[in-house]
Amino acid sequence: MVKKWMSSVFCVGAAAALVLMNTGISQAVEVKLSGQINRAVMWADDGNESEFFHVDNDNSSTRFRFKGSQEVTPSIEVGVVWENEFQSTPSNKVYIGQQDDGSDENLAQRKLEAYFDMPFGKISIGQGDGAANGTSEEDLSGTSVVMYCGVADTGGSLLFRDSNNQEIAKISATRDTFDGLSRNDRVRYDTPEFGGLSFSGSMTNGDAWEVAARFANEFGGLGEIAAAVGYVDTADREDPEYTQMGASLSWLHSSGFNITASYGTIDEDDADTDPVNYYGKIGYKFGMHAIAVEYGMTEDLDQKNDESSNYGVAYVISPWKGIEFYGTYRLYMLDGDGREMEDDEGNTIVDESGNAILTGDAEDISVVMIGTRVKF
């Protein structure tokens, strides 16, 4: 039923094209350049060793975009978005022992889409956000530039190790927000807003589909609320197939006090666990300042009985338009069963009885990051 409904998006798109053929477009869409540079100094300690890094902040990467729109009729707007990121030493790719500038993510595609905004809704075609992308990430705290529910964006490639320096797992292998399929080649339809409420759906390659609902509104002295929920079915796009659900809610009171919560889970075919993620943040915004503290946990992701969690605190100051300075401290922890130890050739190390020797308890990982984002 849902796939049938999603297929109707293509019919709507065809109808929109017929309408546009009769609008008499006389000039091309005017496009403007914008973007940002987001750089930071980062320090990490895995309990055995520590390292300084100069990084691109993957919470909101360095990027540029061409974006433009034009009203082709009084009720129809046509627009384009072309956005790429260009990161040198991304904060989610650095690791203890790295001695160079790490990887350069050269012109990674983010968005390459055209859209048609009409009275009955908006149709987007090309590479862009799937309908459920961002539904786990609603955040009104003013600190998301350096601290939000995507905790693996800060140090995701850092390794949990035991007291003997034995590798256990990367942070990114143990944490996830379960936030849709991110950006992909798709057709997406968004309804008009009804009192701040809107719905969306998208289909991508492999017959994968996403649906979502979003709400955003202000309530006078009670402040502002933003909420979202999304659902994904990967169909033939992933093997094994899985379904995924994510939701988030953020409330910013008129006093500046704010609360943010996020939840997500995944159901993979034939898997014996259903990983789940919880995240919460309490903050306060005053003038050009924003501060917040967080706690998050992902269960059963890398292996059964895992509990990968973190605490964090962040401060952001925005003294001028488009310019922010920020700092954060995060403590990552991993509780669960040990992993099988391996030698330098990747072979499992066994005891005299032939049983695999397991790693010890994971040491905590500390991360500090201080930087700036400048938008243009």
Side-chain angles (χ1 to χ4, degrees):
M1 181 66 183
V2 175
K3 287 186 178 180
K4 186 176 181 180
W5 176 83
M6 294 292 293
S7 297
S8 67
V9 170
F10 293 95
C11 297
V12 174
L18 291 174
V19 172
L20 291 172
M21 288 175 63
N22 296 299
T23 59
I25 299 175
S26 60
Q27 64 184 50
V29 175
E30 293 185 4
V31 179
K32 296 182 179 180
L33 172 67
S34 62
Q36 64 186 39
I37 303 294
N38 194 353
R39 299 294 302 180
V41 176
M42 177 175 155
W43 173 83
D45 187 328
D46 66 4
N48 293 277
E49 300 178 71
S50 62
E51 196 86 55
F52 274 98
F53 310 95
H54 297 278
V55 299
D56 193 282
N57 180 356
D58 195 60
N59 290 274
S60 180
S61 59
T62 292
R63 65 191 66 167
F64 65 90
R65 71 184 66 84
F66 299 97
K67 188 175 183 180
S69 63
Q70 179 179 321
E71 288 189 359
V72 295
T73 76
S75 60
I76 298 177
E77 178 183 288
V78 178
V80 295
V81 181
W82 180 3
E83 182 177 270
N84 289 71
E85 68 179 5
F86 200 143
Q87 294 181 278
S88 176
T89 319
S91 60
N92 64 325
K93 299 290 183 66
V94 295
Y95 56 92
I96 300 293
Q98 179 175 313
Q99 299 298 322
D100 55 22
D101 289 340
S103 61
D104 291 334
E105 304 298 316
N106 296 329
L107 291 179
Q109 298 178 6
R110 287 179 58 85
K111 297 181 179 181
L112 298 165
E113 64 178 349
Y115 68 83
F116 305 87
D117 200 349
M118 295 165 281
F120 57 84
K122 179 180 179 181
I123 295 175
S124 305
I125 183 168
Q127 179 164 307
D129 294 319
N133 193 32
T135 52
S136 297
E137 300 174 357
E138 295 291 343
D139 192 329
L140 301 174
S141 70
T143 60
S144 60
V145 63
V146 68
M147 188 179 80
Y148 78 115
C149 66
V151 300
D153 288 351
T154 307
S157 291
L158 296 173
L159 281 160
F160 286 109
R161 299 174 181 269
D162 65 16
S163 58
N164 294 316
N165 206 27
Q166 179 68 37
E167 298 179 2
I168 298 177
K170 289 182 179 181
I171 291 176
S172 60
T174 67
R175 301 300 299 270
D176 203 318
T177 61
F178 307 115
D179 182 54
L181 295 176
S182 190
R183 293 168 297 277
N184 50 69
D185 294 318
R186 86 291 188 243
V187 172
R188 170 173 168 166
Y189 169 69
D190 292 82
T191 70
E193 288 190 4
F194 308 97
L197 177 65
S198 64
F199 301 90
S200 57
S202 64
M203 288 193 69
T204 185
N205 295 314
D207 292 329
W209 54 271
E210 304 174 60
V211 291
R214 291 175 172 83
F215 177 79
N217 215 332
E218 295 186 10
F219 298 90
L222 290 177
E224 182 180 354
I225 292 178
V229 59
Y231 182 83
V232 175
D233 188 329
T234 64
D236 298 327
R237 186 180 179 90
E238 301 290 339
D239 185 19
E241 178 181 354
Y242 65 83
T243 58
Q244 184 173 280
M245 192 274 284
S248 58
L249 171 68
S250 190
W251 170 49
L252 173 61
H253 189 259
S254 56
S255 66
F257 174 76
N258 54 83
I259 299 176
T260 298
S262 174
Y263 169 83
T265 186
I266 184 172
D267 183 4
E268 185 176 275
D269 286 359
D270 302 325
D272 62 349
T273 61
D274 294 323
V276 61
N277 183 68
Y278 309 93
Y279 179 85
K281 179 194 287 190
I282 297 175
Y284 184 61
K285 293 178 70 175
F286 52 104
M288 66 180 71
H289 310 277
I291 57 174
V293 294
E294 68 173 2
Y295 174 74
M297 174 185 286
T298 303
E299 298 178 347
D300 299 328
L301 182 59
D302 186 51
Q303 69 175 27
K304 191 173 182 179
N305 299 321
D306 270 358
E307 290 185 353
S308 183
S309 59
N310 78 285
Y311 293 97
V313 59
Y315 168 68
V316 178
I317 181 172
S318 307
W320 306 288
K321 182 179 179 179
I323 300 174
E324 298 159 290
F325 299 95
Y326 54 78
T328 186
Y329 168 76
R330 273 175 162 161
L331 180 67
Y332 296 90
M333 298 156 287
L334 177 64
D335 293 323
D337 300 334
R339 273 67 168 174
E340 294 182 355
M341 294 179 61
E342 297 180 347
D343 58 24
D344 294 337
E345 298 179 353
N347 301 311
T348 300
I349 301 175
V350 298
D351 60 21
E352 295 179 353
S353 301
N355 299 315
I357 299 176
L358 303 181
T359 59
D361 295 335
E363 296 288 305
D364 296 343
I365 299 175
S366 295
V367 175
V368 175
M369 191 158 69
I370 300 173
T372 182
R373 177 170 66 174
V374 179
K375 297 180 178 180
F376 59 87

